[in-house]
């Protein structure tokens, strides 16, 4: 079955590609790198998600127990997915992922509590879209809980448009421009 | 307790049927299975055959029926007319990412049912 979601007419981009670094709003030096499949990177993400505040969970992810976190990461860190991780020194503090869904990709982004509201989410999502576009991704969709205004605003600012407002969760889509 | 299990196309039918059958046997409940679309009639009939098979395995004498039209609204209607105590639905659909998603059937039943609703995860 092909993707029936409406996508914006105008492609968005170009977005920046990893690796990049920037100073966040709290003066911390943050590095954004594409996930390369190293076991240290994976362990860094397990560490980040075991610290994740359950109140920031969305639609059941990230899972709570370490064993479930690991099997969930196996799914979203698979070769056909695209992942960008935000590092503060040795610690993973943010993660954004594109998981294939037929011809499109589903997007999700997570930032550790004490690193939120510091512009990391904005930089991370733009860099993931830049990375995805360079890997051939064009259609990207996501769902977000309607009361999560901060997230909805982030997605809108990035170029996502609402494609389905009739379900429990809001669905949004973006069409990525081909990189020059 | 009178239990109405709603089974749609998106459901993980085998697991939902087995878990409900186990629970029905353990609790001595009175079970009715309502099967509906969206989806082709052939796949609805396939689901029905599967439901009868599972119920037979558990030696359960439950009624199985195909409902036409919107599954969510039909379930709510059936539950009211038939004096059911509970509606059971598969609530564990997940997106490629692993996010739990609420189907339009589940949403309608949650908002409109006057009985308790159980979502199987």
């Amino acid at each position: 079955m092909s993707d029936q979601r409406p996508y914006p007419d105008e492609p968005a981009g170009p977005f920046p590609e990893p690796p990049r670094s920037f100073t966040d709003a709290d003066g911390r030096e943050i590095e954004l790198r594409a996930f390369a499949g190293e076991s240290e990177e994976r362990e860094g993400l397990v560490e980040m998600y075991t610290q994740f505040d359950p109140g920031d969970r969305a639609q059941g992810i990230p899972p709570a127990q370490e064993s479930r976190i690991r099997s969930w990461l196996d799914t979203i860190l698979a070769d056909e997915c695209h992942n960008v991780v935000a590092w503060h020194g040795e610690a993973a503090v943010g993660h954004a992922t594109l998981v294939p869904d037929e011809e499109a990709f589903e997007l999700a982004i997570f930032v550790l509590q004490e690193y939120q509201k510091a512009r990391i989410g904005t930089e991370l999502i733009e860099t993931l879209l830049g990375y995805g576009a360079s890997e051939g991704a064009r259609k990207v969709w996501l769902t977000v809980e309607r009361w999560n205004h901060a997230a909805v605003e982030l997605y809108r600012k990035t170029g996502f448009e609402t494609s389905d407002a009739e379900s429990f969760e809001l669905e949004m889509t973006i069409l990525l421009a081909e990189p020059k | 307790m009178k239990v109405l299990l709603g089974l749609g196309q998106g459901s993980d039918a085998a697991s939902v049927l087995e878990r409900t059958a186990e629970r029905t046997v353990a609790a001595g409940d009175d079970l009715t299975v309502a099967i509906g679309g969206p989806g082709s009639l052939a796949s609805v009939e396939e689901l029905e055959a599967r439901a009868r098979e599972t119920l037979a395995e558990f030696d359960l004498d439950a009624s199985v029926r195909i409902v036409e039209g919107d599954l969510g609204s039909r379930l709510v209607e059936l539950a009211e007319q038939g004096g059911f105590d509970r509606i059971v639905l598969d609530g564990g659909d997940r997106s490629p990412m692993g996010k739990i998603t609420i189907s339009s059937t589940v949403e309608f039943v949650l908002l409109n049912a006057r009985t308790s609703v159980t979502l199987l995860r």
Side-chain angles (χ1 to χ4, degrees):
Chain A
M1 214 172 73
S2 65
D3 189 356
Q4 298 296 316
R5 296 177 185 87
Y7 285 85
D9 293 330
E10 281 302 305
F15 292 103
E17 292 177 30
R20 304 171 57 217
S21 58
F22 66 98
T23 307
D24 81 357
D26 289 343
R28 295 170 293 211
E29 197 62 22
I30 304 294
E31 258 192 84
L32 302 176
R33 296 200 297 267
F35 178 77
E38 302 293 333
S39 64
E40 302 85 65
E41 298 176 278
R42 186 180 294 260
E43 292 309 308
L45 286 172
V46 171
E47 183 69 20
M48 170 181 137
Y49 284 118
T50 47
Q51 291 173 42
F52 217 75
D53 182 339
D56 274 357
R57 226 175 269 161
Q59 293 161 262
I61 59 170
Q65 303 151 303
E66 188 183 319
S67 60
R68 284 177 187 246
I69 289 171
R70 285 183 185 279
S71 66
W72 174 63
L73 285 175
D74 285 345
T75 307
I76 65 173
L77 296 178
D79 285 344
E80 64 274 18
C81 305
H82 307 307
N83 288 274
V84 173
V85 182
W87 298 92
H88 181 215
E90 305 273 291
V93 300
H95 172 211
T97 181
L98 290 172
V99 177
D101 173 36
E102 290 161 16
E103 79 221 92
F105 287 84
E106 183 185 6
L107 179 144
I109 177 170
F110 300 91
V111 176
L112 209 52
Q113 284 64 40
E114 64 247 47
Y115 290 84
Q116 291 176 3
K117 300 189 177 118
R119 228 182 63 229
I120 295 175
T122 305
E123 299 285 345
L124 186 53
I125 193 169
E126 289 184 355
T127 307
L128 175 74
L129 293 174
Y131 179 53
S134 77
E135 296 283 316
R138 292 294 168 267
K139 291 176 168 179
V140 176
W141 62 273
L142 59 84
T143 59
V144 56
E145 286 151 330
R146 356 182 121 252
W147 44 263
N148 192 349
H149 300 296
V152 173
E153 197 39 48
L154 167 64
Y155 299 138
R156 210 182 299 281
K157 223 172 50 192
T158 309
F160 280 87
E161 293 178 10
T162 301
S163 54
D164 181 2
E166 287 174 18
S167 316
F168 253 32
E169 298 85 23
L170 207 59
E171 184 187 83
M172 302 178 85
T173 58
I174 194 170
L175 189 64
L176 300 179
E178 274 186 55
K180 299 254 155 57
Chain B
M1 193 160 75
K2 278 191 80 173
V3 175
L4 180 62
L5 169 64
L7 216 50
Q9 305 292 305
S11 308
D12 181 359
S15 139
V16 167
L17 276 164
E18 270 176 35
R19 289 170 62 191
T20 307
E22 275 168 19
R23 171 76 199 158
T24 305
V25 171
D29 286 338
D30 175 0
L31 177 67
T32 297
V33 183
I35 300 170
S40 66
L41 185 62
S43 51
V44 171
E45 282 168 353
E46 200 182 298
L47 260 182
E48 184 196 13
R50 204 147 163 199
R52 291 194 191 281
E53 219 170 275
T54 309
L55 295 170
E57 279 166 30
F58 283 83
D59 223 1
L60 269 174
D61 183 24
S63 93
V64 179
R65 51 191 295 182
I66 290 180
V67 297
E68 281 172 35
D70 180 70
L71 181 59
S73 57
R74 292 290 291 125
L75 285 171
V76 169
E77 202 180 324
L78 274 177
E80 278 178 31
Q81 288 168 353
F84 284 88
D85 304 294
R86 182 178 296 273
I87 297 175
V88 178
L89 291 166
D90 179 14
D93 286 355
R94 286 181 181 268
S95 74
M97 171 80 51
K99 282 188 173 179
I100 295 269
T101 58
I102 300 279
S103 70
S104 56
T105 301
V106 170
E107 181 176 344
F108 185 89
V109 171
L110 283 176
L111 292 174
N112 294 289
R114 300 170 74 167
T115 64
S116 296
V117 178
T118 296
L119 299 184
L120 293 179
R121 290 263 158 92

